[in-house]
Amino acid sequence: MGGKNEILNYVGGGWRPSKSKEIQDVINPATAEVLGQVRLSTVEEVSSAVDAAAGAFPSWRRTPATERVQHLFKLKNLLEESFEELSRTITMECGKTLDEAHGETRRLIENVEAACGIPQLMQGYNSEDIARGIDEVMIRQPVGVCAVIAPFNFPGMVPFWFLPYAVACGNTYIVKPSEKVPCTMQKIFGLIEKAGFPGGVLNLVNGAKDAVDGILNSPAVRAVSFVGSTPVAKYVYSHATAAGKRAQCQGGAKNPIVIMPDADMEMAARITADSAFGCAGQRCLAGSLVITVGEARGAFTEAIVEAARTRVVGYGLDEKVQMGPVITHQSKARIEHFIGQGEKEGARVLADGRGTTIKGYESGSFVRPTVLDGLRPQGEVAVTEIFGPVLGLIHVDNIEEAISFVNSGRYGNMACIFTGSGAAARKFRYEAEVGNMGINIGIAAPMAFFPFSGWKESFFGDLHGQGLDAVEFFTQKKVVAERWPKEWTRKF
Ligand code: NAD
């Protein structure tokens, strides 16, 4: 694998340095250490990956599913062996704590495990005698060359919401990681190489907008999965679908958590703190708004402020650290701006993360947990994705108002409720307009065998990543009607 710190592409079964002149440092957001350099691949370099994937497709699709998954079984074992190293790499390039990185690596592996069931999962169905002597069969076939464009916040897991299912179904694949965090995929592709996938089945192209446009403009790419911010999700979805490709594009979020007066306040505050401040608020399922109902206000506010103030912030590899930095200094500046904006809109800053420096890591981009109380419900801060450890509190009188606030948002990634009442929980489950929901749960991340949903401006498309949705997305259905008149039966 090339020079020590040089991030390479992996195309057609071999490591290739990009020749692009655009080069970017990969920076550890806690220490500011330069972890590597990534070149932002050109459209031509994407084309050569697409050619490699297209060249590998005919023989990969003819490889029986039972054989294809043997490579995934091998990959699963290799990932287990590298579990610690991969998790540390995630922490170093992305900032989350080692515990959080362990969780990410685990879910990544679970997706490989789920896709190993493909021989059964991609079965079709049939009916005999749809008319006299005529049978009908639905078979699933792979769609061809597919690609994923990934965000910075889960450098390992997000591509694996798609990749294992895509190749298990017989497609060939291209991964375009976030240019901010390319080291994790670099390591994973080292394992993919060892797992013995034929050359061209799995390809890695590092880059940014040019690489994305290369994927979108390539006629041979038949399906695109995207995860990232809403404006880019819209861009990718509109360009991919206009070019006749399948597309599933996950966007941003602003996840509300409703606290009912009958909730277990200690549990609700502890779990909400993990949701809002875990991964420094840089999860697409991070709780970012709390709506307290009636008397929940006092006890919950006190508990969450205490949780915010006492959370241990620092380098994610250090023991006892509960929250790492945000991804860049630009991100820190943006988050601090929104805290100021909340204040201008009338909120009280009960815990203030602005101006955070951590001893020993003075160059890191840290923002301590922040709580904005009495946020204006339709103000800029209440409706904008901040993507940092900032929790806004809004107070309402009843569950109807809470649900109506939840449904007024442009996003629909996740909403949660904490309550001891089954009736309140059911009302919420029935009426809240979101794709992922938690009931006495603060980060409602679907397991690998459920779709990772998302509604409204959090998702463009219809089939989601993970589980059976992924199988549907990565296969096309062929329906065959067959007539074999019995008079044609040869007499032997
Ligand atoms: P981003 O949109 O900036 O980048 C995502 C990908 O798009 C990267 O690979 C990047 O190289 C590429 N890209 C960026 N700008 C582009 C442009 N103008 N044209 C073409 N491609 C472009 O997102 P990010 O900052 O890496 O990730 C954070 C965002 O991702 C947040 O909004 C978060 O909510 C979202 N996210 C959503 C989910 C979900 O499941 N809905 C999951 C994880 C992250």
Side-chain angles (χ1 to χ4, degrees), residues 49-92:
V50 174
D51 289 347
F57 177 66
S59 108
W60 185 242
R61 74 156 282 204
R62 283 179 167 72
T63 305
T66 48
E67 263 181 54
R68 293 197 297 257
V69 297
Q70 296 312 313
H71 298 287
L72 288 175
F73 280 116
K74 272 190 202 144
L75 181 59
K76 136 93 181 159
N77 289 333
L78 292 161
L79 288 163
E80 294 287 4
E81 283 166 20
S82 300
F83 186 87
E84 203 53 40
E85 190 194 346
L86 289 174
S87 303
R88 290 180 76 83
T89 306
I90 291 171
T91 294
M92 286 167 71

Side-chain angles (χ1 to χ4, degrees), residues 186-221:
Q186 192 78 176
K187 289 214 150 83
I188 289 177
F189 265 77
L191 305 179
I192 282 172
E193 187 177 33
K194 284 194 195 156
F197 288 92
V201 170
L202 278 159
N203 305 276
L204 174 67
V205 180
N206 289 286
K209 184 171 174 22
D210 282 354
V212 170
D213 288 339
I215 289 169
L216 295 175
N217 294 327
S218 170
V221 175

Side-chain angles (χ1 to χ4, degrees), residues 150-153 176 179 212 226-229 250-252 284 385 387 452:
F152 80 80
N153 63 332
K176 204 299 283 173
E179 65 279 19
V212 170
F226 171 88
V227 181
S229 59
Q250 300 184 209
C284 62
E385 179 179 46
F387 221 53
F452 193 105

Side-chain angles (χ1 to χ4, degrees), residues 122-144:
M122 76 179 288
Q123 284 176 341
Y125 46 82
N126 61 71
S127 294
E128 266 188 345
D129 289 323
I130 50 157
R132 281 176 198 284
I134 299 179
D135 304 331
E136 195 153 80
V137 184
M138 187 281 274
I139 51 180
R140 288 179 193 280
Q141 297 187 334
V143 295

Side-chain angles (χ1 to χ4, degrees), residues 235-246:
Y235 172 84
V236 171
Y237 188 73
S238 58
H239 283 73
T241 51
K245 304 180 196 310
R246 292 181 173 203

Side-chain angles (χ1 to χ4, degrees), residues 8 15 65 109 127 139 179 203 219 223 228 272 320 323 342 382 384-385 430 437 459 467:
L8 303 175
W15 293 96
I109 294 174
S127 294
I139 51 180
E179 65 279 19
N203 305 276
T272 300
K320 301 213 173 82
M323 193 183 103
T384 309
E385 179 179 46
Y430 199 84
M437 182 173 285
F459 183 75

Side-chain angles (χ1 to χ4, degrees), residues 10-59:
Y10 183 82
V11 174
W15 293 96
R16 307 224 186 127
S18 162
K19 295 192 176 58
S20 166
K21 301 228 167 355
E22 272 191 85
I23 185 160
Q24 205 168 292
D25 285 341
V26 183
I27 294 172
N28 180 326
T31 63
E33 179 199 354
V34 176
L35 301 171
Q37 268 94 33
V38 60
R39 286 181 192 269
L40 307 183
S41 300
T42 59
V43 169
E44 292 70 36
E45 286 166 336
V46 173
S47 291
S48 79
V50 174
D51 289 347
F57 177 66
S59 108

